[in-house]
Amino acid sequence: MDSSFLPAGADNGSAGGANNGGGAAQQAPPIREQDRLMPIANVIRIMRRVLPAHAKISDDAKETIQECVSEYISFITGEANERCQREQRKTITAEDVLWAMSRLGFDDYVEPLSVYLHRYREFEGEARGVGLAPAPPRGDHHHHHHSVPPSMLNKSRGPGSGAVMLPHHHHHDMHASMYGGAVPPPPHHGFLMPHPQGGHYLPYPYEPTSYGGEHALASGYYGGAAYAPGNNGGSGDGSGGSASHAPPGGSGGGFDHPHTFAYK
Amino acid sequence: MEPKSTTPPPPPVMGAPIAYPPPPGAAYPAGPYVHAPAAALYPPPPLPPAPPSSQQGAAAAHQQQLFWAEQYREIEATTDFKNHNLPLARIKKIMKADEDVRMIAAEAPVVFSRACEMFILELTHRGWAHAEENKRRTLQKSDIAAAVARTEVFDFLVDIVPRDEAKDADSAAMGAAGIPHPAAGLPAADPMGYYYVQPQ
């Protein structure tokens, strides 16, 4: 496929994504050298965000970071995939990725990424508009996604993917009851599953506590502010879509409020 | 499916004012949480030791805390979820380079996109600290190598960054820091390796 020669902009766009997705779905020939690394322009732009203006970056440092990023993706993916296989699932989910990071020592990443994933799902829900969707919340996401890259449509409808949805939904219920009605974010569903399996997952117990704390924070601010910020998450009716989105609507409002508070 | 639209409102009382965002990796400073059934399982905060010789280590740990607070703030401030700073298709291709990987949920590359940003920022940030120690204004490969050598969580990168270069880099760093530690290769046995601490 020639998709690998698309401009970086196209790569970032959904159209480019669809093309590349098609290539990936068709099990394209061995990965090209060019596809093995992140685009160097993107990498440099990110590096500069943390460097002072007068800093220079040598070419070998740029290339080294490119290599390190690909190794990082492969490292985390390998661990996430092992978990999938152990649990006889075929699809690597976002929760598997977060779990793998925690297991491999990237604990600092898990909490902000959980928040990011939660907010991303809220965004997806809002983008889809109001309307009762199929029962499994995750199915909603897939329905939205498959309209962009056709190849993902096939993947998301695979029996393995279907099998994944039910357990997640079940754990969502359990988790909700654990939190006495306060709705935790979907990322925790995946994390709950391995916890009972013993000491292997010791790093995990911290995560729900941490997020519970965040939720409490959000709840506190929400109680005090009564939706004063009037942001998207705070729209009166909350998300009318899937059941999993209605409570996150309120939760989203809570999260947006601390953000506003932080800027005061 | 359990209906949640009319769940009881969360308690508005939150005790003492809370510094926002909370320091990553540490227990929340606020009081007990009604939503935290696993509170008893808090891991102990990974505080670096504080002997006089580790003043630089303490400063580095503080730098890391600031770094993660900034990461958290940036994620909270994110409003654009359509455009990602790293192409999702490329991430997916790298994931699928592993032949054992079968299907990838659409959200996995999205999470990776942000995770890789944080990874690049952290590696660059730590590398730059090394460049500054050597009074340089150009980030070099040896700075990345030093960051990898000093940070246990980056052990998986030792094959990417030549070990000899890492040793030389760290040896130079030790020399610059005035520490007589000829065998600069850092052992991975340090449980606090994730936080940069000078060897005792």
Side-chain angles (χ1 to χ4, degrees), chain B residues 46-79:
Chain B
L47 297 177
S53 63
S54 72
Q55 183 174 357
Q56 189 171 7
H62 181 61
Q63 281 286 319
Q64 282 300 304
Q65 285 181 356
L66 291 180
F67 174 83
W68 285 105
E70 176 65 13
Q71 292 308 300
Y72 203 97
R73 190 197 67 77
E74 282 187 8
I75 282 193
E76 283 289 345
T78 301
T79 54

Side-chain angles (χ1 to χ4, degrees), chain A residues 3-4 11-12 17 20 24 27 31 34-39 42-43 45-47 49-52 54-58 60-61 64-65 67-78 81 85 90-94 97-98 101 104-106 108-109 111-113 115-117 119-121 123 135 138 141-142 145 152 155 161 169 172-173 176-183 195 205-206 208-210 212-217 219-224 243 247 255 258-259 262-263, chain B residues 1-5 7-14 17-20 22-28 30 33-43 64 67-68 71-98 100-125 128 132 137-142 144-145 148 153-154 156-157 159-161 165 194-195:
Chain A
S3 57
S4 61
D11 273 350
N12 279 300
N20 283 304
Q27 298 293 340
I31 187 166
Q34 171 176 352
D35 290 334
R36 196 174 54 82
L37 303 172
M38 287 291 116
N42 299 57
V43 170
R45 195 180 314 129
I46 294 168
M47 291 174 77
R49 282 163 45 188
V50 79
L51 295 173
H54 65 269
K56 295 185 175 68
I57 310 171
S58 70
D60 63 351
T64 297
I65 295 287
E67 296 273 354
C68 289
V69 174
S70 295
E71 187 69 12
Y72 175 71
I73 294 172
S74 299
F75 185 52
I76 300 294
T77 300
N81 195 45
Q85 294 182 337
K90 291 180 181 177
T91 305
I92 295 177
T93 65
V97 170
L98 292 175
M101 286 179 189
L104 296 172
F106 293 92
D108 288 332
Y109 290 56
E111 180 179 315
L113 287 174
V115 173
Y116 180 76
L117 178 59
R119 300 190 68 221
Y120 174 82
R121 285 173 169 165
F123 164 79
R138 196 159 309 278
H141 290 286
H142 282 297
H145 285 296
M152 287 187 179
K155 289 179 178 293
S161 179
H169 181 67
H172 174 73
D173 286 342
S177 66
M178 281 178 60
Y179 280 75
V183 180
H195 183 40
Y206 175 77
T209 301
S210 170
E214 291 173 3
H215 218 272
L217 285 177
S219 304
Y221 287 121
Y222 158 57
F255 278 116
H259 168 267
Y263 277 96
Chain B
M1 186 182 299
E2 176 184 348
K4 305 174 187 58
S5 57
T7 56
V13 180
M14 276 304 299
I18 298 166
Y20 185 88
Y28 277 76
Y33 303 111
V34 297
H35 306 299
L41 295 175
Y42 267 115
Q64 282 300 304
F67 174 83
W68 285 105
Q71 292 308 300
Y72 203 97
R73 190 197 67 77
E74 282 187 8
I75 282 193
E76 283 289 345
T78 301
T79 54
D80 181 3
F81 291 95
K82 282 189 169 181
N83 297 303
H84 305 279
N85 291 319
L86 293 170
L88 302 186
R90 193 74 60 90
I91 292 172
K92 191 172 178 186
K93 281 194 176 184
I94 294 171
M95 291 178 78
K96 288 191 74 69
D98 181 345
D100 286 336
V101 171
R102 299 166 83 173
M103 288 189 285
I104 300 169
E107 288 169 342
V110 170
V111 167
F112 257 123
S113 173
R114 200 56 188 239
C116 290
E117 259 186 80
M118 295 164 70
F119 175 79
I120 293 170
L121 291 168
E122 184 184 8
L123 205 47
T124 302
H125 182 259
W128 178 250
E132 280 190 321
R137 296 168 72 155
T138 301
L139 184 71
Q140 296 177 3
K141 183 172 186 178
S142 59
I144 308 299
V148 167
V153 80
F154 292 151
F156 71 99
L157 296 171
D159 293 334
I160 302 295
V161 183
E165 188 157 2
Y194 188 61
Y195 291 82

Side-chain angles (χ1 to χ4, degrees), chain A residues 164-192:
Chain A
V164 170
M165 296 182 188
L166 188 57
H168 278 281
H169 181 67
H170 175 67
H171 282 281
H172 174 73
D173 286 342
M174 184 173 75
H175 207 158
S177 66
M178 281 178 60
Y179 280 75
V183 180
H188 286 283
H189 303 171
F191 283 112
L192 274 183

